[in-house]
Amino acid sequence: MATIEKQDPVALSLNWGKDVTFSDYKVNGKLVDFQDLMIRISANRATTVEGEVNPLTVRIKMRNTELERLGSLLAIFTKTQADFASDAKGSDKKSVSGIKSEQWQLLREAYIKRGGSDPGATWNSSWANSDWSKSSVEGMIQALKSMIDGRNNQAQTDMSRLQSLVDRRDESFTTASNLMSAISDTRGNLIRNL
């Protein structure tokens, strides 16, 4: 962040005629006038907002990847549920297959969410792809739907925040551009009048 100092007007007036300057401020030790200061502040604001946009977009991409994986898990468990006979008991079992390693952590989270004990670090494909009871499959479907709903709510909040940041960034760049244009016009008018 730049350090901004207001110049001492008494010291400036003592130098009047010797070393004429129109710089009222110092930014990082360099003399600048008010217009340049405002342009730097606007550009700095835009850069700061841009610094907030990037991590948020990364978080949104990661959440979208999670949602895609949760959707795939939901499809696997829904297919398994459909494989049960309509008169199957809750204790009847079916094999759940097709779970990929990148989905294990989400499946573990859903399993704990539905009331299962944490399988711990030994979570592996033989456990994930083993036989599941009808009631366990139905419980996992509900847990996965709940997780998807939660992630969707977070995604909506993040998208609103992202839109707000993009609007602020655009506003900062517009302000800096308008300032530069106004300063250029003012200087052009001064030169023409001279």
Side-chain angles (χ1 to χ4, degrees), residues 39 177 179 193-194:
I39 291 169
S177 176
L179 274 170
N193 289 338
L194 288 176

Side-chain angles (χ1 to χ4, degrees), residues 96-188:
V96 175
S97 59
I99 299 171
K100 298 183 177 104
S101 59
E102 64 267 10
Q103 296 169 317
W104 291 345
Q105 184 58 36
L106 292 169
L107 182 60
R108 177 181 176 201
E109 185 181 335
Y111 183 73
I112 294 167
K113 185 177 189 82
R114 68 169 271 287
S117 61
D118 187 352
T122 60
W123 188 266
N124 58 37
S125 61
S126 63
W127 187 94
N129 293 325
S130 64
D131 288 343
W132 290 65
S133 69
K134 181 179 179 184
S135 60
S136 293
V137 169
E138 289 170 349
M140 285 301 293
I141 289 172
Q142 292 307 312
L144 289 167
K145 285 180 179 179
S146 174
M147 288 174 64
I148 289 170
D149 288 344
R151 299 293 199 288
N152 279 331
N153 289 339
Q154 292 170 347
Q156 287 176 348
T157 302
D158 283 347
M159 290 303 289
S160 296
R161 173 99 174 107
L162 180 62
Q163 184 61 48
S164 172
L165 287 172
V166 168
D167 289 346
R168 280 181 37 209
R169 181 190 62 186
D170 292 347
E171 179 185 317
S172 297
F173 282 122
T174 300
T175 301
S177 176
N178 289 344
L179 274 170
M180 286 188 273
S181 178
I183 290 167
S184 175
D185 291 347
T186 303
R187 287 181 178 163

Side-chain angles (χ1 to χ4, degrees), residues 29-129:
K30 183 180 175 194
L31 295 173
V32 295
D33 59 13
F34 181 73
Q35 292 87 0
D36 291 337
L37 175 67
M38 294 310 298
I39 291 169
R40 286 179 188 227
I41 288 172
S42 296
N44 189 27
R45 179 177 177 221
T47 303
T48 302
V49 171
E50 185 69 31
E52 293 178 41
V53 168
N54 290 335
L56 187 58
T57 54
V58 168
R59 191 167 70 216
I60 289 170
K61 286 178 185 176
M62 287 173 47
R63 184 165 297 115
N64 287 343
T65 301
E66 274 188 354
L67 281 167
E68 185 178 308
R69 290 176 181 165
L70 284 167
S72 295
L73 279 172
L74 182 60
I76 289 168
F77 278 91
T78 302
K79 181 186 175 305
T80 303
Q81 182 186 33
D83 290 343
F84 282 101
S86 59
D87 61 345
K89 299 177 186 121
S91 59
D92 288 352
K93 295 191 174 206
K94 289 279 182 189
S95 177
V96 175
S97 59
I99 299 171
K100 298 183 177 104
S101 59
E102 64 267 10
Q103 296 169 317
W104 291 345
Q105 184 58 36
L106 292 169
L107 182 60
R108 177 181 176 201
E109 185 181 335
Y111 183 73
I112 294 167
K113 185 177 189 82
R114 68 169 271 287
S117 61
D118 187 352
T122 60
W123 188 266
N124 58 37
S125 61
S126 63
W127 187 94
N129 293 325

